[in-house]
Amino acid sequence: MKEAENYKEELLRHRHYFHMHPELGLEEKETSAYIKCYLEKLGYEITPVFPTGMIAELPELKKRKKTVVVRAEMDGLPMEEKTGLPYASVNPGRMHACGHDGILAVALTLCGILSEEKEEFPVNVRFLFEPAEEIGEGAKRMIKAGALDGPADAFLMFHFAVDMPFGMAVHEGQASAMIAGIGIEVKGKSSHWSEAHKGIDSIYAGARVIQEVHDLNESYQGHAPCLVGIGTAHGGEYGNIIADSMTLTGNIRACREEDFQALYCLLEERLKNTEKETGTKITLSLLKEPVLSFANDSEFTELAAGIGQEVFGERFILEGEDELFLAGDNAYRYFQRTRGVFLIFLAAVPGKEYPLHHPKMELDENIFPYSLETVYQMIKKMGKVC
């Protein structure tokens, strides 16, 4: 490959387009059209994945003995961007605040490089342009469409993080958390506040539920990071009426399954006590099947550490399982079926360290050529050892 810095203009061109045109999961029509047009010009064979995803391979590389599968997410988030960047979102209420625009830019630029090197590149690369990652729908659709059919010897995914400036990290062993959305329904009894004795206040009970969640997080001693979080609370219609119902939604996150199960059981117990004390009916449920954790393959982790040190020097970090964080990904479905590795590129902008999913989140664009070089080298070396 040429010097990665030579591709910076192309990387930024792709990234700025995607950043300006974010779309939500399963609605990524413009994003999909842009990717498809670019890949067809390069000679890629494309398998559509309903409704907006695609699987792409170069016919010349499909003859190789080994196949490395590379995932790139497409969807943005339902939020209003407040960065003030010249390439800020032009789609109201939509923003790429999780770095998927950068992932797509690296993946597409890499597609172009492989088309230039298709005669000598040693391994087949199957690109997965995955929709709806943010809502946990993408991976199962990709797999159903054949993402891992035929040879799928290794899987590679990468993200951009903004908790630290320029660098790279990879975890030894487990690399993600187990997550499930929860719903809590609180049923009371409606009445006018002038006759409060005839009602059962679901909002008061809901507030008690929130306090119980807070106390549970304070008291539970897990084997690794874990928590219960409440993100929404809705109840009532008029200020002079006792609300007969309240709905709360949130999530349970745990790096260890035993902590996940323990938190769920303890929360159930606390809600039963709240139910008795308030006279309400409280129901706890999982909104979807849990997103499971996944672990990096040890051999691929060793490769990543070597390449990371070459490309990033002292800015590379090899993290142990005691440094796990509470992020999850539906990519566990790929890891269940083949060996894989998850790379993290650190891209905080100094002085603007807003977290992911924040309306002012920015990425340090200097990271892109380095991440491109790393992913390119990883694919070549993974193909030799898988």
Side-chain angles (χ1 to χ4, degrees):
M1 188 177 84
K2 301 173 187 175
E3 289 294 325
E5 192 66 30
N6 293 340
Y7 292 96
K8 188 169 184 179
E9 183 178 341
E10 181 178 352
L11 286 161
L12 296 187
R13 174 166 53 84
H14 290 314
R15 195 253 168 159
H16 291 175
Y17 173 83
F18 292 125
H19 194 85
M20 289 180 70
H21 302 90
E23 298 170 288
L24 300 184
L26 305 179
E27 300 175 6
E28 307 98 336
K29 294 181 180 179
E30 286 187 40
T31 304
S32 181
Y34 181 100
I35 294 169
K36 186 172 184 289
C37 179
Y38 184 79
L39 293 179
E40 285 179 339
K41 290 177 181 178
L42 296 175
Y44 277 79
E45 290 182 353
I46 297 173
T47 301
V49 179
F50 181 81
T52 53
M54 66 193 80
I55 301 167
E57 292 177 273
L58 281 169
E60 294 84 354
L61 294 185
K62 291 174 71 174
K63 303 171 186 177
R64 304 294 189 263
K65 292 182 179 180
K66 300 293 183 179
T67 295
V68 176
V69 180
V70 178
R71 192 273 291 260
E73 305 98 298
M74 302 165 63
D75 54 330
L77 290 161
M79 58 196 308
E80 197 72 36
E81 180 166 352
K82 297 180 181 179
T83 61
L85 292 168
Y87 51 89
S89 171
V90 297
N91 293 343
R94 306 287 185 266
M95 180 184 176
H96 269 299
C98 201
H100 291 180
D101 51 341
I103 295 170
L104 288 172
V106 171
L108 278 190
T109 304
L110 184 59
C111 285
I113 292 169
L114 297 189
S115 71
E116 297 171 356
E117 300 184 6
K118 59 190 176 187
E119 300 302 326
E120 66 271 14
F121 199 75
V123 60
N124 182 37
V125 184
R126 183 178 302 148
F127 290 95
L128 310 183
F129 292 96
E130 179 187 312
E133 185 276 329
E134 292 290 349
I135 57 174
E137 287 291 320
K140 61 185 177 183
R141 290 172 182 256
M142 301 301 292
I143 291 169
K144 185 177 180 180
L148 300 180
D149 291 353
D153 303 289
F155 174 74
L156 173 65
M157 62 178 282
F158 59 97
H159 280 178
F160 293 97
V162 289
D163 55 335
M164 294 178 65
F166 185 89
M168 175 187 166
V170 67
H171 272 92
E172 291 184 291
Q174 187 175 331
S176 74
M178 182 177 178
I179 301 171
I182 58 171
I184 301 173
E185 293 287 338
V186 181
K187 295 293 185 181
K189 184 180 178 182
S190 182
S191 175
H192 195 282
W193 275 104
S194 65
E195 297 183 291
H197 62 283
K198 294 182 180 180
I200 300 175
D201 189 355
S202 66
I203 290 181
Y204 166 71
R208 289 280 301 273
V209 168
I210 294 170
Q211 185 64 53
E212 289 294 341
V213 168
H214 175 80
D215 292 345
L216 179 56
N217 286 332
E218 289 289 310
S219 62
Y220 181 74
Q221 299 296 316
H223 297 84
C226 57
L227 60 78
V228 182
I230 299 298
T232 70
H234 299 284
E237 296 180 11
Y238 299 101
N240 62 355
I241 297 176
I242 294 174
D244 65 350
S245 66
M246 187 174 186
T247 302
L248 303 97
T249 63
N251 59 107
I252 300 178
R253 295 172 177 263
C255 293
R256 296 284 183 268
E257 184 175 356
E258 58 264 38
D259 290 324
F260 181 94
Q261 300 298 344
L263 283 172
Y264 190 87
C265 291
L266 289 170
L267 181 58
E268 274 190 318
E269 290 178 13
R270 286 171 176 261
L271 295 186
K272 287 177 182 176
N273 290 334
T274 303
E275 188 178 61
K276 292 176 184 177
E277 293 170 2
T278 61
T280 56
K281 175 67 175 176
I282 302 177
T283 305
L284 170 66
S285 62
L286 295 179
L287 300 179
K288 285 185 178 181
E289 61 179 304
V291 170
L292 303 181
S293 60
F294 59 81
N296 286 329
D297 177 85
S298 59
E299 194 169 16
F300 294 161
T301 301
E302 186 176 346
L303 287 180
I307 295 169
Q309 289 163 0
E310 289 176 12
V311 176
F312 288 90
E314 62 181 15
R315 302 300 302 175
F316 171 78
I317 303 169
L318 181 62
E319 297 182 323
E321 288 196 351
D322 59 339
E323 299 173 278
L324 287 169
F325 50 93
L326 290 171
D329 196 302
N330 72 170
Y332 78 89
R333 297 179 184 276
Y334 303 117
F335 282 82
Q336 287 179 327
R337 293 165 174 80
T338 190
R339 300 163 62 192
V341 66
F342 172 34
L343 311 180
I344 304 168
F345 297 111
L346 307 171
V349 178
K352 297 182 179 180
E353 291 90 354
Y354 296 101
L356 296 176
H357 294 211
H358 190 283
K360 292 186 178 182
M361 190 279 289
E362 294 185 32
L363 295 178
D364 177 4
E365 294 187 322
N366 292 313
I367 196 73
F368 293 137
Y370 294 86
S371 55
L372 175 66
E373 176 70 27
T374 302
V375 172
Y376 174 89
Q377 295 297 341
M378 276 296 299
I379 292 169
K380 291 183 76 171
K381 292 191 177 181
M382 289 171 74
K384 291 180 180 179
V385 303
C386 63

